[in-house]
Amino acid sequence: METVHAAAGSRRCGAGRRIVTHAWLEVGVTGAAVAALVVLVVLPIASLLLGSLTASDGLGLEHFHRALSSSLYLRPLVNSLILGSWTGLVSLLIGLPIAWLVARTDIRAKGFIRFTATMGYLTPPFLTSIAFANLFGPNAGIVNVFVRDMLGLPWLAFDIFSMSGMVLVTTLHAFPFVYLLAVGALQSIDASLEESAQILGAGRLRTALTITLPLAAPAILGGTLIAFVSAIALFGSQAIIGLPARIFTLPTRIYALFQYPPQYGLASALSLILVTITVAALYLQRAYLARRAYVTLGGQGARAHLVPLGHWRWPAHGFVLLLFLVVVAMPFATLLAVSLSKPWGLAFWQHLTLANYRFVLFEYDVTRRAIANGLVLAALAATLAVLIGAIIARIVQRTDIPGRWVLDYVSLVPLGLPGIVMAVAVLQFWLATPFPLYGTLAILLLAYVARYVPLGVRAADVSLRQIDPSLEQSARTLGASWLVTMREIALPLMRPGLFAGWLLVFVPAIQELSASILLFSSGSITLAVAVFNLYESGLSEQACALAIVNMAIIGAAVAVAHWISRGGLADRMQAVPQ
Amino acid sequence: MTGLAIAGLTKRYGGARQAAAVDGLDLAIGANRFVTLLGPSGCGKTTTLRLIAGYLMPDAGTIRAGDRILSEPGRVISPEFRNMGMVFQNYAVWPHKTVFENVVFGLTVRRLPTDKARERVERMLDLVHLSGLGGRLPGELSGGQQQRVALARSLVVEPGILLLDEPVSNLDARLRERMRAELKDLQRRTGVTFVYVTHDQAEALALSDEIAVLHGGRLQQVGSPEEVYRRPANRIVADFMGLLSIVPARVLDAAAGEVELEGGGRIGGIGGIAARMGDIVDLGIRPEDVRLRPPDGRGIAAEVVDRVYLGNVADVHLALADGRRLRAQIHPLDPAPVGARVEIEIDVRHLSVFTRDGEGGAP
């Protein structure tokens, strides 16, 4: 007995020593993560707040007062709300039916619907806007030219430069949020909940209205709110569609405030108003979902009744095909056609050329630099976001460090910040420091990492959850140090998940426009900014060629991600306001 | 009230090549009876229940209630028109409706006037000991309480038949026993025909008027709990209904019921052996029928190789002379330490004799 005690005692001592060194390492790593979050997120937001309150004589609400009293700024606020609401509503009207088709009917085009929704989500809305402007521009849009000049039916023309045009373009990007959340909810409702209603005498419609719909409602509403948030946060489509129509929204108004002598205070105040809206919507979504997430209650919800569509499959197929045409075929065909034409117009096919590609890829140094910058920035941002995300997710899930929930919470804050707001915040903060970062790639990188840290945390969180702590504990029990356990057990197990997370950051980062538009200089111009600038300077054909290059990069990244996660990408798609 | 007649019922999942989940089932379910479908998982019992409910269409056979055909290939009366109730294993209580709203649902569908419906719901909640909890959401209830909500919801519409799919298997042991008693009591008081699915033979024995044992999609035996336990129709049923040791023996005299164990030792007085002299048969011996006594040369010799204390009984593993194992249950205070040489005596009233062609026989 004596010896056993002694052995146990000495082992405990050994473990105690190890815990001490482990704690030092952990404190160091945790400290680095906290410092990164403070510099990336907390301080910029603080200076945004401070900037909005800095009045001519000390602190005051001067900027807010101006922002909320002049129609110059109130009108954009109202426009943003109108745009968000309509987009949310139309996204619901498109996303819910196709979610139902996929989850609950025997329609055979399920892969096709999933593809269409994924493409809608992946296509940068400013590219869709450029495509639609080339089709439905009031004067030169070829569809309008066709119906006006060839058919002689001017009343058939559709002016894309309008609020309805903006809603249309935004919806094509936003409806997948409703679809994804709704399809998940509909698939996970346990069939027995509906069967119970049926055997008690309720017909199919009554069961759908009293059981299925209320159970899926939180998810559906959540998806609609995310569609709303992402709609009002997008800068590119609002600039490309809205500005020619003189419809200002909050992001484009904030952008305009930087054109002349920049008005930081007012821009900060407007940014905070925009953030208030997005955060309120996201909070509503989270609170509502958390309180009423019944869907998980059922558990084994594998069984689901598939409704036979019968002859209804024809209108269903028609709807899906129309959606595909508008979401995928029209924008891509247009971008491709414009990029290949000498002058874009009704007779573009008579003068096909690769000159635009030669121009953007080889001849024009600005676009060449933009491509290189874009790739480097996206790769670096993805690496850093995933690295920081992995550390934070680990701390939150696997340690008992007090206050770790703050870390979790702060890391999610950027989800509520539209890109342009993040840019205003980062700009304000770094201009106030002695570091001359303005106009460099570094400030863009800082803004990107801050924006996409939530994605990194989420990806690491998901892959950590799939690794039972006992796997690591058994390594520790066998005497492995924290470092060895990380190297031999934790990291190899997390690697596929982290790589998927890396691509999930890379894809939005390569098409980032909302923040870059305020932060770039001619030396640090990025891919998306170059597309935007080419288009704005009237070089539509060249802009489209660069857009196709952009899409090719995204396509390659997604193909790799798809190949790695075998179709799991859609599950990991997360709502990030642009 | 309502009985069911099931004839030739067959259901395959997947193609026609696939083994049938239910294969040519014939079963009469008498009105006001408590009938249990018993079998291991995958035996087809839940499929049978879902066929009865009308969620599935049979590939062959019919289900009738009186002269009304409920199900046949190509034509199934939808669940909502069958006047049945169903209690699911996971209860399937609607999480977004209060207890009251859950229970009143079927009455609302039947367009009962509000005050009358309220009265019936109150009465039913009282019956399942949930009075006063009508305003609660299911998330605030325990598993046992959710179970009662599911029962009340099904019974309040006064169904002709109530189908129960392993309704107590998610409860802890203590609660399970209490719910069993309550279920039996409810069935007696309401007079509703209960069709109950379980894999737990003790539950089936305790609850049922009649047990239908299923295995591999086929009906093995139907009978009262005592019949099924004491006179299993075949080895599958015998094996499933509680512990059973199989010991081979040679028939010495079929008429006198005398056999000799392969490792030595004779047993006499077994009734109804359907085998000839010299045939090898398998004896199915239940542990409670084996008695131990000190060796005196007249009984069958055995050695205690293991002894497991179970509280109310001790489970004793015996090795016969040829090494065959036999289990016995003895009083926990009876002495039979591991290594002890004993002799055993077998109560032949419960003994099952199986011939080697697979058919069974009983005394």
Side-chain angles (χ1 to χ4, degrees):
Chain A
M1 283 317 264
E2 281 302 297
T3 52
V4 171
H5 269 297
S10 75
R11 188 164 304 144
R12 206 169 293 136
C13 285
R17 263 204 316 280
R18 201 165 294 136
I19 283 167
V20 172
T21 49
H22 171 194
W24 274 112
L25 238 163
E26 217 169 68
V27 167
V29 172
T30 310
V34 172
L37 271 193
V38 167
V39 172
L40 286 169
V41 179
V42 178
L43 289 178
I45 291 175
S47 46
L48 185 70
L49 209 60
L50 197 65
S52 71
L53 294 174
T54 310
S56 41
D57 47 350
L59 292 182
L61 291 173
E62 195 177 286
H63 298 305
F64 285 100
H65 186 254
R66 245 184 95 196
L68 292 172
S69 58
S70 156
S71 72
L72 202 58
Y73 308 111
L74 270 181
R75 191 65 226 172
L77 172 62
V78 173
N79 282 340
S80 281
L81 290 175
I82 292 174
L83 172 66
S85 308
W86 274 109
T87 305
L89 183 67
V90 182
S91 295
L92 178 67
L93 294 179
I94 296 174
L96 186 55
I98 61 169
W100 179 75
L101 284 174
V102 168
R104 290 307 178 89
T105 71
D106 63 346
I107 194 168
R108 270 189 282 178
K110 288 180 185 179
F112 188 68
I113 294 176
R114 260 180 236 126
F115 173 76
T116 304
T118 310
M119 288 303 288
Y121 168 77
L122 286 175
T123 313
F126 71 95
L127 294 190
T128 322
S129 306
I130 292 176
F132 275 81
N134 279 300
L135 291 176
F136 296 104
N139 301 317
I142 60 161
V143 174
N144 286 342
V145 172
F146 182 74
V147 298
R148 190 177 57 222
D149 300 348
M150 309 292 282
L151 298 182
L153 303 166
W155 50 270
L156 252 181
F158 170 67
D159 183 3
I160 191 75
F161 298 124
S162 59
M163 181 55 90
S164 17
M166 207 139 75
V167 170
L168 167 73
V169 168
T170 315
T171 301
L172 300 187
H173 176 72
F175 84 88
F177 296 123
V178 181
Y179 160 77
L180 270 180
L181 271 86
V183 91
L186 287 175
Q187 277 171 343
S188 60
I189 292 173
D190 195 290
S192 62
L193 292 173
E194 290 161 315
E195 287 170 355
S196 298
Q198 217 188 341
I199 206 160
L200 287 171
R204 195 175 279 165
L205 185 67
R206 189 177 197 133
T207 305
L209 292 180
T210 57
I211 308 296
T212 318
L213 202 62
L215 285 174
I220 296 168
L221 203 79
T224 309
L225 279 169
I226 293 174
F228 168 88
V229 168
S230 75
I232 63 171
L234 290 167
F235 168 79
S237 48
Q238 295 176 14
I240 289 167
I241 304 288
L243 292 184
R246 310 215 51 75
I247 302 174
F248 276 94
T249 55
L250 281 179
T252 52
R253 182 50 84 191
I254 293 170
Y255 175 63
L257 284 175
F258 282 84
Q259 297 299 49
Y260 306 105
Q263 306 181 50
Y264 291 118
L266 199 52
S268 303
L270 281 186
S271 297
L272 281 172
I273 292 169
L274 183 53
V275 170
T276 309
I277 300 170
T278 55
V279 167
L282 288 177
Y283 176 78
L284 200 65
Q285 182 237 342
R286 262 160 205 271
Y288 190 73
L289 267 182
R291 207 157 34 82
R292 305 175 59 112
Y294 309 118
V295 172
T296 51
L297 262 173
Q300 40 153 339
R303 275 184 303 129
H305 289 291
L306 294 187
V307 179
L309 280 179
H311 288 298
W312 287 100
R313 71 177 179 278
W314 298 117
H317 281 154
F319 180 67
V320 171
L321 192 66
L322 182 70
L323 195 65
F324 172 79
L325 286 178
V326 178
V327 173
V328 184
M330 261 164 67
F332 279 85
T334 309
L335 287 178
L336 203 61
V338 177
S339 75
L340 290 172
S341 39
K342 201 164 258 164
W344 173 241
L346 260 188
F348 73 93
W349 43 271
Q350 288 169 344
H351 308 281
L352 292 184
T353 172
L354 285 173
N356 301 318
Y357 287 95
R358 195 165 59 233
F359 178 75
V360 297
L361 286 176
F362 305 110
E363 290 169 6
Y364 190 35
D365 61 330
V366 173
T367 51
R368 269 167 42 206
R369 195 158 58 235
I371 294 171
N373 284 346
L375 286 172
V376 168
L377 270 177
L380 280 177
T383 310
L384 288 174
V386 167
L387 193 70
I388 297 172
I391 296 170
I392 290 170
R394 242 202 102 73
I395 291 169
V396 172
Q397 270 194 38
R398 296 286 160 88
T399 71
D400 45 10
I401 297 174
R404 61 193 185 284
W405 61 272
V406 178
L407 215 55
D408 190 34
Y409 191 78
V410 171
S411 72
L412 286 181
V413 164
L415 279 182
L417 297 190
I420 194 146
V421 173
M422 184 59 89
V424 174
V426 167
L427 204 56
Q428 291 250 51
F429 172 63
W430 289 101
L431 281 179
T433 66
F435 307 106
L437 288 186
Y438 182 63
T440 65
L441 281 175
I443 200 166
L444 281 161
L445 182 64
L446 288 167
Y448 281 22
V449 176
R451 282 205 69 187
Y452 298 124
V453 145
L455 286 185
V457 173
R458 199 71 60 91
D461 195 71
V462 169
S463 44
L464 252 186
R465 258 174 225 291
Q466 290 161 354
I467 303 168
D468 197 277
S470 64
L471 294 176
E472 289 174 32
Q473 282 157 8
S474 22
R476 304 294 308 265
T477 314
L478 290 170
S481 69
W482 184 74
L483 218 61
V484 171
T485 308
M486 291 305 294
R487 197 181 62 220
E488 299 288 324
I489 312 291
L491 279 177
L493 286 170
M494 286 177 75
R495 195 175 294 144
L498 292 185
F499 192 62
W502 190 91
L503 285 159
L504 277 181
V505 177
F506 182 86
V507 168
I510 195 81
Q511 65 190 44
E512 214 292 332
L513 178 66
S514 307
S516 316
I517 196 74
L518 279 191
L519 299 174
F520 82 100
S521 66
S522 67
S524 63
I525 190 164
T526 67
L527 195 47
V529 176
V531 175
F532 183 78
N533 281 356
L534 283 175
Y535 175 79
E536 290 289 288
S537 6
L539 299 171
S540 202
E541 291 79 7
Q542 289 82 347
C544 286
L546 194 57
I548 293 289
V549 172
N550 192 347
M551 284 313 296
I553 295 172
I554 294 173
V558 171
V560 174
H562 197 74
W563 176 65
I564 286 169
S565 63
R566 308 224 164 160
L569 183 73
D571 307 330
R572 297 171 200 244
M573 270 163 60
Q574 288 298 335
V576 206
Q578 290 294 308
Chain B
M1 288 232 309
T2 319
L4 284 179
I6 298 171
L9 195 67
T10 300
K11 177 69 191 174
R12 286 170 216 284
Y13 293 111
R17 299 268 180 79
Q18 223 63 30
V22 176
D23 197 355
L25 180 74
D26 295 306
L27 185 64
I29 294 171
N32 311 338
R33 303 278 280 173
F34 196 125
V35 179
T36 298
L37 306 178
L38 175 69
S41 66
C43 73
K45 56 191 192 299
T46 296
T47 302
T48 305
L49 200 72
R50 295 176 65 77
L51 282 162
I52 295 174
Y55 295 126
L56 297 173
M57 187 185 288
D59 293 319
T62 55
I63 301 173
R64 294 165 196 268
D67 43 8
R68 182 164 163 239
I69 296 182
L70 296 179
S71 291
E72 60 186 339
R75 206 183 62 89
V76 167
I77 293 178
S78 216
E80 62 259 41
F81 304 117
R82 291 188 171 220
N83 194 30
M84 294 180 182
M86 178 135 172
V87 176
F88 291 84
Q89 187 173 4
N90 62 357
Y91 322 138
V93 177
W94 299 309
H96 61 301
K97 290 180 183 290
T98 61
V99 170
F100 181 85
E101 288 166 348
N102 261 282
V103 178
V104 84
F105 184 87
L107 299 177
T108 314
V109 171
R110 284 163 176 72
R111 292 166 202 249
L112 216 70
T114 320
D115 46 341
K116 226 169 146 189
R118 171 169 291 278
E119 195 190 305
R120 262 169 73 175
V121 171
E122 299 294 353
R123 214 169 339 127
M124 185 49 71
L125 288 179
D126 205 34
L127 193 64
V128 297
H129 311 297
L130 282 179
S131 7
L133 297 182
R136 297 271 188 94
L137 280 170
E140 304 166 313
L141 301 181
S142 70
Q145 287 172 322
Q146 292 190 27
Q147 169 77 82
R148 285 164 220 255
V149 175
L151 271 171
R153 185 176 71 183
S154 302
L155 285 172
V156 77
V157 298
E158 294 171 2
I161 297 177
L162 183 64
L163 311 171
L164 304 104
D165 187 359
E166 309 224 6
V168 299
S169 65
N170 283 350
L171 302 177
D172 64 56
R174 226 184 150 73
L175 202 53
R176 201 177 322 163
E177 198 150 316
R178 211 168 84 206
M179 277 314 293
R180 262 188 223 161
E182 283 186 24
L183 277 174
K184 184 81 189 166
D185 185 51
L186 263 178
Q187 196 267 333
R188 280 203 199 104
R189 284 163 68 178
T190 56
V192 174
T193 308
F194 275 33
V195 181
Y196 189 98
V197 158
T198 184
H199 63 268
D200 182 340
Q201 47 99 11
E203 203 168 289
L205 291 174
L207 285 174
S208 318
D209 295 324
E210 228 168 335
I211 297 176
V213 184
L214 278 85
H215 188 92
R218 290 172 175 276
L219 183 65
Q220 306 293 332
Q221 186 175 5
V222 193
S224 71
E226 203 181 341
E227 278 167 355
V228 174
Y229 188 81
R230 290 193 55 182
R231 303 180 208 290
N234 56 36
R235 209 175 304 212
I236 294 170
V237 177
D239 197 31
F240 196 71
M241 301 302 301
L243 287 170
L244 188 78
S245 306
I246 297 284
V247 177
R250 181 188 309 276
V251 179
L252 296 178
D253 183 346
E258 202 171 330
V259 300
E260 181 175 34
L261 301 187
E262 286 209 318
R266 292 184 179 192
I267 305 173
I270 307 168
I273 299 178
R276 279 174 304 173
M277 200 175 90
D279 283 355
I280 301 290
V281 293
D282 287 324
L283 304 179
I285 302 169
R286 300 230 181 256
E288 66 268 27
D289 296 333
V290 180
R291 270 183 289 278
L292 272 53
R293 60 165 201 234
D296 59 5
R298 282 181 298 167
I300 302 161
E303 187 191 338
V304 178
V305 292
D306 197 7
R307 182 184 166 119
V308 180
Y309 179 68
L310 294 175
N312 58 338
V313 292
D315 193 10
V316 175
H317 296 235
L318 301 161
L320 298 177
D322 61 345
R324 297 250 173 210
R325 296 304 169 94
L326 184 66
R327 282 171 77 167
Q329 275 176 357
I330 61 171
H331 193 276
L333 294 180
D334 284 351
V338 174
R341 303 205 156 270
V342 294
E343 278 184 10
I344 55 172
E345 212 173 90
I346 291 165
D347 188 335
V348 294
R349 287 173 300 173
H350 260 176
L351 200 68
S352 307
V353 181
F354 304 106
T355 54
R356 283 288 167 101
D357 54 20
E359 287 308 303

